[in-house]
Amino acid sequence: RACTPNLVHWTYDTWNVSKSTAAAMVKQGGDSWFFLTADYAFGHALERDTMGFVRAAGGRVLGQVRAPFPDTTDFSAFLMQAQASRAKVIGLANAGGDTINCIKQASEFGITRRGQRLAALLMHLPGIAAIGLETAQGLVCTETFYWDLNDRTRRFTAKLRPQVSVPLCMNHAGGYAAVLHYLKAVADMGVPAAKASGVEAVNRMKAMPCDDDCFGPGRIRADGRKIHPAYLFRVKSPQESSGGWDYYALLETTPAEEAFRPMREGGCPLVRG
């Protein structure tokens, strides 16, 4: 609803990661959920969107608990509530340090060893590296880029790896791909025209097909949403990993045209009617 002619939204959003994670997990048998949610707008959006997809796929939501943000570091009481619910999946509707602390503490309590699964609704590969495979193994999450997806992503990563100290994730890929496509649009329309009008530069970005080594072919819709596939991953065990950044096993791919909220449902004023 807040989109403008100057906006392009790349990489992911709450609808995207919720759809990829929830629908696939319910289909694989994870049909009962309990949510541990960061108590602010972002956490609420993740919880709301994921609940909708769980229920649409035939699953049940057994409950939720909201942790104060940003003041919570001890999630033990919340995790005990999630464990007591006997839900097959505990959805972590939070991000960053909160997600990392939840995963570490869930491992300490042996929650996943007792059969419940953790679904991190927003996770990035550097976070997995920080946690370690021994603790994070079995976690399910969605990213729109992974360095080992295909030959193009592997070549891209091989070029950058000597210059970076953390594993590449979808945020790094999104920054690269968005800037690259903008520069292609500037080259196509000319620097003076691009400098004269941000709206016209974005219009040219929308008119041109996207193609880069991180996301492959794609497009930008009239509402400014960049379209590309989403990937559901399971974190490997230490024994499965070949070392380095080999952290993810691909579970399922959501095609580009299904991976983001349909434009007719977004309320964008640029496309109404």
Side-chain angles (χ1 to χ4, degrees):
R1 293 186 298 273
C3 71
T4 80
N6 302 78
L7 174 71
V8 176
H9 192 134
W10 222 276
T11 313
Y12 72 91
D13 56 36
T14 59
W15 195 99
N16 160 253
V17 294
S18 299
K19 166 84 182 288
S20 170
T21 307
M25 291 198 73
V26 172
K27 186 165 62 176
Q28 294 176 8
D31 57 3
S32 60
W33 286 61
F34 187 97
F35 288 86
L36 199 167
T37 302
D39 194 11
Y40 71 117
F42 174 73
H44 298 175
L46 270 180
E47 177 190 270
R48 177 201 66 220
D49 289 344
T50 310
M51 280 184 176
F53 288 117
V54 168
R55 289 169 174 150
R60 296 175 298 145
V61 176
L62 303 185
Q64 75 258 39
V65 62
R66 291 181 171 176
F69 178 87
D71 300 321
T72 306
T73 56
D74 182 359
F75 292 90
S76 56
F78 306 121
L79 288 165
M80 291 301 97
Q81 290 183 58
Q83 185 177 39
S85 75
R86 299 184 183 275
K88 295 178 182 177
V89 181
I90 300 172
L92 302 178
N94 49 22
D98 286 355
T99 305
I100 289 172
N101 283 335
C102 283
I103 295 167
K104 288 181 176 179
Q105 290 167 28
S107 177
E108 291 169 4
F109 300 144
I111 289 175
T112 54
R113 290 195 297 275
R114 296 185 179 97
Q116 288 177 298
R117 302 187 73 182
L118 294 182
L121 299 175
L122 182 60
M123 195 69 199
H124 302 100
L125 206 64
I128 302 299
I131 297 167
L133 294 184
E134 188 65 44
T135 298
Q137 60 183 306
L139 177 77
V140 174
C141 62
T142 288
E143 292 211 51
T144 54
F145 165 86
Y146 180 49
W147 70 269
D148 200 21
L149 272 175
N150 53 54
D151 288 343
R152 292 185 73 178
T153 58
R154 285 187 284 270
R155 285 196 301 267
F156 173 78
T157 302
K159 287 189 295 185
L160 291 186
R161 191 159 185 169
Q163 304 170 59
V164 296
S165 58
V166 297
L168 299 179
C169 69
M170 61 181 172
N171 282 1
H172 303 119
Y176 166 81
V179 171
L180 178 65
H181 191 65
Y182 168 73
L183 293 175
K184 288 179 180 178
V186 170
D188 187 63
M189 66 191 298
V191 171
K195 290 176 69 174
S197 174
V199 170
E200 289 306 314
V202 170
N203 285 342
R204 188 63 60 96
M205 292 175 72
K206 293 177 179 178
M208 297 172 60
C210 303
D211 193 10
D212 60 78
D213 289 338
C214 295
F215 299 100
R219 65 186 180 92
I220 301 171
R221 299 191 310 205
D223 61 353
R225 171 74 262 177
K226 166 61 170 47
I227 300 299
H228 44 247
Y231 306 98
L232 182 67
F233 296 107
R234 174 184 57 80
V235 177
K236 292 182 176 182
S237 68
Q239 295 73 31
E240 291 177 284
S241 174
S242 62
W245 296 350
D246 181 25
Y247 299 155
Y248 285 159
L250 179 64
L251 296 179
E252 188 158 327
T253 299
T254 303
E257 296 302 325
E258 300 174 18
F260 292 93
R261 187 193 310 274
M263 194 158 56
R264 66 182 180 277
E265 298 178 9
C268 175
L270 302 179
V271 295
R272 285 178 182 167

